[in-house]
Amino acid sequence: MSRDWKTVAAQARLLAPFRDGEEPSMFYGAVGLFETGAVEEARPLMQRARPRVAQTPFVNYYAERLLRDPTSRAFTENFTGQWLSLRAIDA
């Protein structure tokens, strides 16, 4: 399944601030922001959403990546962009 994380991130910004009871939307917003490189913006959403969403493997995977290793996305982006020249490829 293909995910358009830029759209998810944009929607999260439009819907913010989230209210109590909107934790699933917060979670997906955090993932979208994280996947588009906005780690610092995503972290508070994930911290707020994680305790109130079902603890599935998908939720745990993203929560661990985002909350425990906030630089992993930046490292991946920089490595692939600089060393593999992926920035030169049009999406």
Side-chain angles (χ1 to χ4, degrees), residues 18-36:
F18 290 96
R19 293 175 288 189
D20 288 340
E22 296 180 327
E23 287 80 8
S25 295
M26 274 186 251
F27 170 77
Y28 281 105
V31 172
L33 291 165
F34 173 73
E35 286 292 343
T36 57

Side-chain angles (χ1 to χ4, degrees), residues 3 5 27 30-37 39-40 42-43 46 50 57-77:
R3 291 184 177 88
W5 294 123
F27 170 77
V31 172
L33 291 165
F34 173 73
E35 286 292 343
T36 57
V39 176
E40 295 304 318
R43 187 176 291 118
M46 182 64 75
R50 187 178 188 192
F58 181 77
V59 168
N60 293 332
Y61 170 77
Y62 272 102
E64 293 298 318
R65 283 183 66 201
L66 178 54
L67 298 176
R68 298 243 166 121
D69 189 10
T71 61
S72 64
R73 178 72 178 172
F75 172 78
T76 302
E77 292 283 326

